[in-house]
């Protein structure tokens, strides 16, 4: 039987699990890649943009790791926001 673009393609349970695994790996790789890019290139731009409402005040970090963790969190949030449309597309492709 030949598969046409309009004909439904029936997969077994394990084939669906394989497709889900592939989508999760691709999505996780995209998220981590975007997180690294945001951390290395966009952190100063993002932090400057987020600090504008403080009107020149500085942040107070209570631990030595505070500034580093702040930059990591900003990069992860930015990566989440940038990768979210891709995750929705993967979810739609999986469900349909």
């Amino acid at each position: 039987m030949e598969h046409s673009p309009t004909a439904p393609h029936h997969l077994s349970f394990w084939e669906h699990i394989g497709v889900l695994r592939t989508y999760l790996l691709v999505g996780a790789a995209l998220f981590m890649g975007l997180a690294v890019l945001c951390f290395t290139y966009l952190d100063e731009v993002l932090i400057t943009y987020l600090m504008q409402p403080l009107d020149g005040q500085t942040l107070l970090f209570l631990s030595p790791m505070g500034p580093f963790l702040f930059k990591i969190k900003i990069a992860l949030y930015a990566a989440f926001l940038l990768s979210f449309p891709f995750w929705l597309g993967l979810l739609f492709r999986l469900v349909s």
Side-chain angles (χ1 to χ4, degrees):
M1 182 170 136
E2 187 175 321
H3 294 290
S4 68
T6 58
H9 183 67
H10 299 287
L11 298 175
S12 70
F13 175 75
W14 293 111
E15 289 171 334
H16 279 291
I17 296 297
V19 171
L20 176 64
R21 182 186 64 197
T22 302
Y23 286 171
L24 288 176
L25 289 174
V26 168
L30 175 74
F31 175 78
M32 291 308 294
L34 285 172
V36 168
L37 285 175
C38 289
F39 183 77
T40 55
Y41 296 114
L42 295 178
D43 70 339
E44 291 303 322
V45 174
L46 290 172
I47 290 173
T48 303
Y49 178 74
L50 292 173
M51 296 282 285
Q52 284 178 352
L54 294 179
D55 293 328
Q57 296 176 0
T58 60
L59 295 177
L60 175 66
F61 297 108
L62 300 177
S63 70
M65 291 294 293
F68 177 71
L69 292 176
F70 177 70
K71 287 183 179 183
I72 291 282
K73 287 177 186 177
I74 295 298
L76 290 175
Y77 288 138
F80 174 75
L81 289 175
L82 291 173
S83 67
F84 189 69
F86 184 76
W87 280 100
L88 285 178
L90 288 179
L91 180 64
F92 179 75
R93 284 180 62 186
L94 184 67
V95 172
S96 65

